[in-house]
Amino acid sequence: MPKNARPTRPSYRCTECGHEVAKWVGRCPECQAWGSMEETAVSSRPALSAVTRVAAGAPAAPARPIGEVDVEAARARPTGVGELDRVLGGGLVPGAVVLLAGEPGVGKSTLLLEVAHRWASGTSRSGGSPALYVTGEESAGQVRLRAERTGAVHDALYLAAESDLANLLAHVDAVRPGLLVVDSVQTMQSPDAEGIPGGVTQVRAVTTALVSLAKERGLPVVLVGHVTKDGAVAGPRVLEHLVDVVLHFEGDRHSTLRLVRGVKNRFGPADEVGCFELRDDGIAGVPDPSGLFMTRREAGVPGTAVTVVVEGKRPLLAEVQALVAGSGLATPRRAVSGLDSSRVAMVLAVLERRGRVRLSDADVFTATVGGMRVTEPAADLAVALAVASAARDLPLPPDVVVLGEVGLAGEVRRVTGAGRRLAEAQRLGYTRALVPPDSGPLPPEMRAVVVPDIGAALRFLRDNAADAESS
C-alpha cells in the first residue's frame, strides 16, 4: 500500500438519491427509501496530508472587466409559447439546460413538441434554426403521429429515436440544431458509466455530458424528467443542481388544466406559473385563466366564496365551495380537495370557537373549483365564510370577493399585494371586498368592507342575507 494511502473499505450508496454511508442500513437516511443501499468499493486514495499543491493552468480565455462582457449572447430567446416564456423569464437562454418534470401522461411531450415546432418554423423569433427532438421512450412513428395530430410537422424539426448518449451526440453533430429536446433523461444511457438507465450513476453521467454540450456550443437543451410517487424529480438530487432551470408540469387527469411551475431558475423568477389547456389537437396557453377556477352566477349560493390568490406574480380568482351536512358518525368527516387540509382544520376550529358556528356534529366538505390548488393563507377568510354560509344557509352576495388570513384568536390579518389582487377582481366585475385592516391602497372603484375579526365577517354575512330577503 502506498505511503499515506487510506485502506480500501466498502461503502454503501443509495440507488435512489446517491447518498453514501459507511455501514449498511435498511433505510436510506437521506430519502427514506427502503432496501436501496448497495455496496460500492472505495479505492485507495492519498490522505489529505499527501495532496500536493495544484499547478496553475492555462485559462481558456483571459479575465475581462465585467463591463466588457457581451450580454447579447446571454439574452433569452422566446420559444413562441407565451405561457412557457413567462415561467422561463422571457425564453430560452443559449447554453441553458432546462429540466421539465411531471407525472406520466400529463402532457410534457406534447408541450415540448409544440415548442420544438415553433422553434423550427421561426414563429419563436429564433430565426427558424433547426430543432432536434430525441426520444428514448417512444418510436419515431409514434412521435410523428402525435405531431400530425397537433400540427407540429415541419422540415426543420428533426426527430431521432435513441437511448444511447453517444448516438445522441452524433445526431447533434450531424443536424447542428438550435434547440435540443431529450425525452427523457432517465431513458438515456452513457457507455462510460455503470448501472442501468435511470439509475443514479447513469442519470448523473448523462446529465453532466449534456450540460457540458450545452455550455460548449451555446445550445439550449430541454430535458424531460420523471417524478416519484411523492411528486419529486426522480433520480439523484444532484440532477436538479446540475441544470439551470427546473420546471414542474402539474395537472389532474380529470381536468384539461395544466400548470407549469418554476422551482429553480438562474435566469428569471423562480416562483412564476404558466397555465395551459390540454386539447384534442394539442396544448394551448391560457393567458387569462381566472374563468377556469370560478362559476359565475347571477345570485349568491350558500356555501361559496370567491377569493384572489397569487401564483408567482399573477393574481387569479378562485372559488371556494363548502358543504355542511348532519353526521351520524361518532367522528364527523372532514374532506378537503384543492386546499391545505391542516389550514382548513385550523379555520374550522377557529370558526367554531370564535365564531360560534357549530360544526362538531356535522360532516364538512371543502373544495376549490376547476382543479386549482390553493395553499396560501390569504384564502383562510374565504374558507371560513364558505363553511359558515353552508352551515347557516346564508349566501354571500355574488359581487363580493374575500381576502384575509385568519389567526387562532379569530383576528383577520392582512395579506400581501391586496391592491393588485382587488384590481384583478374589479377587472372581472366584482365591486365589493371583505378585507382585513391596514390593507394599503385599494382600487378606488372597489368598495372595501374592513373586517377586523371573524365575528365581523359573520355579521356581514348575516346582514347582507337579511337585506337580500327583505328586498
Side-chain angles (χ1 to χ4, degrees), residues 327-342:
S327 176
L329 303 176
T331 303
R333 287 175 292 182
R334 300 288 188 262
V336 179
S337 176
L339 297 163
D340 186 355
S341 58
S342 60

Side-chain angles (χ1 to χ4, degrees), residues 1-2 47 113 115 122 141 199 241 259 266 274 282 292 307 358 389 449:
M1 180 180 297
L113 190 61
V115 171
H241 294 287
L259 297 178
R266 291 174 178 166
L292 299 175
T307 187
R358 185 175 177 84
S389 172
V449 179

